[in-house]
Amino acid sequence: MQDVGVRGAGIRPMQPVPGRLPVGAEWSYEVDWSGIRLLADVEDGTLCLRTLEGDDVTARFPEFAPLADVVPDGLFDGEAVLLDAGQPSSLALFDRLRRADPRKARTLARARPAILMVYDVLRLYGVPLTARPLDERRATLGRLSLDEVGRIQVSPVYDDGPALLAGVREQGLPGVMARRRDTPYDADAGEDWLRVVAPAEAPTAPTAATAVDLPTAEQPPAGPALSALPPAERPSGPAPSSGKVPRGRHSRGQEEPPGLW
């Protein structure tokens, strides 16, 4: 993994580690969207998208360019998602990565647009945020109204991990991401971010599952992706205190395409 961006120099991307589902108020939960992990670095109103390996794939995803119109300076962590028959498809994303010709990428983006699911903000308007707790970073992310950008969606956060895991299992999704709420963004603290694979069989003790409303190829999700759960409580704490932050308007197969997580 490489450091990210000029202003992001010294930032190494975190990676989730496999683990069992942790339960407790100190954890938050998200869907494992089974996409291509991307770091979106906007500087001086210009977007650069890089994989964890440091490859510049900006030209492959022209539909994400409007992010720079809403936030002219920021560093975001997320993943690109493409659907195949209503399910996230790693093969479709790999095919997009192979298209180096910008004209072909624009054609593909119009015919089959991807969605950038954002789940963290590491820098905003020159203020580094990696030392702040996850809840504070997510609160800052929520104030940016990124969902107003056509193909950008903030990945919803939920409190009920077992219900979420049961829901993604029923719909054949890979699993759940569990993140510790009070921790900084630290690449050496893998135990703070766990990938939990959805079990092949339903748990012995039934859990109230939730339906997962996946975005469609034509229309990004307009609201929380998990309709049967009550809306997750977004952190409402203050914006970072040192420096003013203005308001803005994945078990995989054995042979994974490169760049997927």
Side-chain angles (χ1 to χ4, degrees), residues 46-64:
T46 302
L47 173 65
C48 178
L49 298 169
R50 292 190 183 275
T51 66
L52 291 186
E53 292 76 23
D55 297 326
D56 187 336
V57 295
T58 309
R60 270 79 163 177
F61 297 97
E63 61 268 52
F64 300 157

Side-chain angles (χ1 to χ4, degrees), residues 10-191:
I11 296 177
R12 287 189 298 126
M14 288 186 72
Q15 291 207 74
V17 299
R20 300 182 64 181
L21 184 71
V23 178
E26 69 272 24
W27 292 93
S28 64
Y29 309 92
E30 301 173 51
V31 174
D32 179 357
W33 293 104
S34 191
I36 294 176
R37 181 83 174 277
L38 294 179
L39 293 150
D41 195 353
V42 184
E43 297 189 51
D44 298 324
T46 302
L47 173 65
C48 178
L49 298 169
R50 292 190 183 275
T51 66
L52 291 186
E53 292 76 23
D55 297 326
D56 187 336
V57 295
T58 309
R60 270 79 163 177
F61 297 97
E63 61 268 52
F64 300 157
L67 175 62
D69 297 330
V70 176
V71 182
D73 185 300
L75 178 59
F76 301 92
D77 195 349
E79 57 187 295
V81 179
L82 260 171
L83 301 180
D84 187 7
Q87 294 289 322
S89 171
S90 295
L91 291 179
L93 283 166
F94 183 47
D95 184 60
R96 176 71 75 88
L97 283 176
R98 295 171 53 243
R99 310 295 181 169
D101 184 347
R103 291 175 298 178
K104 181 61 176 178
R106 288 193 294 269
T107 299
L108 290 173
R110 288 192 295 268
R112 193 179 189 183
I115 295 169
L116 180 62
M117 302 297 295
V118 180
Y119 35 69
D120 215 333
V121 54
L122 313 181
R123 185 194 77 243
L124 191 61
Y125 298 104
V127 180
L129 305 179
T130 53
R132 312 299 173 86
L134 173 63
D135 269 2
E136 188 174 336
R137 301 196 310 272
R138 288 288 311 206
T140 299
L141 186 61
R143 284 189 284 270
L144 295 176
S145 301
L146 296 185
D147 293 2
E148 295 178 4
V149 185
R151 307 307 304 178
I152 313 295
Q153 171 75 20
V154 176
S155 182
V157 174
Y158 290 88
D159 298 323
D160 192 336
L164 179 56
L165 188 61
V168 300
R169 186 200 67 82
E170 287 187 358
Q171 293 192 230
L173 295 172
V176 166
M177 298 292 190
R179 304 179 71 186
R180 197 180 292 274
R181 295 178 181 272
D182 62 350
T183 54
Y185 189 93
D186 183 356
D188 295 322
E191 67 278 3

